Amino acid sequence: MKLEPLKIGDLVAKIPVIQGGMGIGISLHNLAGNVAKEGGIGILSVAQIGYQNKEKFEKSPLRTNLEAIGEQFKKAKAIAKDGIVGFNVMVAQFHYDKYIKKCVEAGADVIISGAGLPVDLPKFVGDSKTKIAPIVSSAKAAKVILRTWAKRYNRTADFVVIEGPKAGGHLGFKKDQIEAAIDKMDEEVTEIIEIVKKYGSDFNVHVPVVFAGGVFTREDIDHYLALGCEGVQMATRFVGTVECDAPDDFKNKYLNAKKEDIQITKSPVGLPGRAIKNSFIERINREDIPIEKCRACLSFKHCDRKTIPYCISEALLHSVEGNAENGLVFAGANAYRVNEITTVKAILEELNQ
Ligand SMILES: Cc1cc2nc3c(=O)[nH]c(=O)nc-3n(C[C@H](O)[C@H](O)[C@H](O)COP(=O)(O)O)c2cc1C
């Protein structure tokens, strides 16, 4: 049976699947543009988005990243035609405000923001048409962010992304909470939906909720729709596509991963992350890795240059520059189920039948 479209205000995605932002360099214009073209919502990751312009990037990461936002968005839209394309911006990013403003200026349809609570996101998008969503992992976080937006900005979210403990990349759970959170996530989802409904009704708007983390099949989607969600966000599965912007070296890590290779690991951001075991993970379990060069990717509040176990930008850049064995390969809990490289169209068609 065909899925119901996902409506976010005046935006309508034919297929209620958002492709989750994946940094550094995993979801750029090709993946995001193609997901949007096939009826989903394509999300570009802003994390070091300009890294491909190597010389310029090394000299001036901020300026190069800001320029790349416009360039990548334009290219994604050229592929997507009338499709919906947006950005993922992490709160922990240095110059968060500048990145958000640039995404809005580029014409972003949506901005999804997590890795911290995006308390001032409404201020930076102003009265633009860009739709905004916080990423939350608990009812408590949902309450805090929606209450803050209501009080400070007299508005609510356009949609909300709930990210559960099976997601890839940084997680909104402490390491020792992850197992318990897996068991109790459905309850949490129901509670978050109630909170979102209350704020929606206060502002007389409908606020769809989308679930992310471990969604892989149509059955998974049906499960979250039955709980009251109106869509899902999926990232890991889209790595196994020809359109994904990551190099083959990175995709091969997914293809070769076994269940036990997918591990929870530490990150300078302070949150645990999920990644595929390789020489890099073994090394950081043994020792800290000195920083070669700081590209100021995270705010000082989120990254203490003196005490971090390794540099997150360096680790992620290695993994997209042909050295995935010695870089950080973020992946969701289901990455071991990615066994082939297919197309975005094939995945979305399979999910929508
Ligand atoms: C390789 C990779 C990179 C990611 N990078 C980011 C990121 O830069 N910002 C972010 O908010 N989430 C990031 N995520 C999380 C995804 O956007 C998504 O919410 C999550 O992985 C969904 O779970 P799934 O991968 O099981 O589908 C990343 C996930 C992966 C797998």
Side-chain angles (χ1 to χ4, degrees), residues 20-24 26 45 47 88 90 114-115 135 161 163 166-170 212-215 233-237 239 250 254 329-334:
M22 291 181 276
I24 296 173
I26 314 298
S45 163
N88 174 290
M90 290 184 292
I135 302 176
V161 176
E163 198 177 71
K166 291 187 180 175
H170 291 115
V215 179
Q233 173 169 291
M234 296 170 62
T236 293
R237 202 169 166 195
V239 172
F250 184 95
Y254 276 55
V329 180
F330 274 151
N334 278 328

Side-chain angles (χ1 to χ4, degrees), residues 33 39 68 133 205:
V205 285

Side-chain angles (χ1 to χ4, degrees), residues 94-296:
F94 201 23
H95 302 298
Y96 176 77
D97 54 337
K98 293 194 179 78
Y99 286 125
I100 296 288
K101 286 177 189 163
K102 193 72 194 186
C103 294
V104 170
E105 191 189 302
D109 295 314
V110 302
I111 292 176
I112 299 173
S113 189
L117 282 180
V119 277
D120 290 321
L121 178 57
K123 177 162 84 190
F124 307 132
V125 294
D127 56 7
S128 70
K129 277 184 67 184
T130 305
K131 308 284 189 285
I132 55 172
I135 302 176
V136 296
S137 293
S138 66
K140 191 174 155 206
K143 249 184 228 159
V144 171
I145 194 73
L146 296 180
R147 193 175 53 217
T148 308
W149 286 10
K151 266 194 182 164
R152 257 190 223 174
Y153 300 107
N154 193 31
R155 65 163 293 173
T156 194
D158 294 304
F159 61 113
V160 171
V161 176
I162 303 175
E163 198 177 71
K166 291 187 180 175
H170 291 115
L171 304 174
F173 303 87
K174 296 208 176 89
K175 191 175 176 186
D176 59 0
Q177 296 175 334
I178 292 171
E179 282 310 311
I182 291 176
D183 292 340
K184 151 171 199 286
M185 202 60 214
D186 283 1
E187 248 174 75
E188 201 76 21
V189 169
T190 316
E191 214 181 309
I192 296 171
I193 291 173
E194 284 314 308
I195 294 164
V196 173
K197 265 193 197 149
K198 176 207 166 295
Y199 281 95
S201 90
D202 285 356
F203 288 93
N204 207 15
V205 285
H206 178 70
V207 184
V209 174
V210 166
F211 183 83
V215 179
F216 208 80
T217 61
R218 171 60 185 264
E219 219 181 348
D220 299 331
I221 297 179
D222 288 341
H223 176 81
Y224 290 104
L225 295 181
L227 289 180
C229 293
E230 290 173 50
V232 292
Q233 173 169 291
M234 296 170 62
T236 293
R237 202 169 166 195
F238 286 114
V239 172
T241 60
V242 286
E243 293 91 346
C244 172
D245 297 271
D248 289 348
D249 179 45
F250 184 95
K251 295 179 190 175
N252 286 338
K253 288 286 175 208
Y254 276 55
L255 295 179
N256 298 328
K258 293 194 265 321
K259 194 172 183 181
E260 58 273 22
D261 294 330
I262 296 151
Q263 301 195 344
I264 300 300
T265 178
K266 58 185 167 187
S267 153
V269 185
L271 303 163
R274 185 176 274 109
I276 296 177
K277 188 179 163 194
N278 59 2
S279 302
F280 174 78
I281 300 283
E282 284 170 3
R283 185 167 172 206
I284 58 166
N285 286 339
R286 271 197 323 268
E287 60 181 4
D288 288 354
I289 304 178
I291 306 172
E292 280 166 33
K293 179 184 173 183
C294 176
R295 295 169 185 88

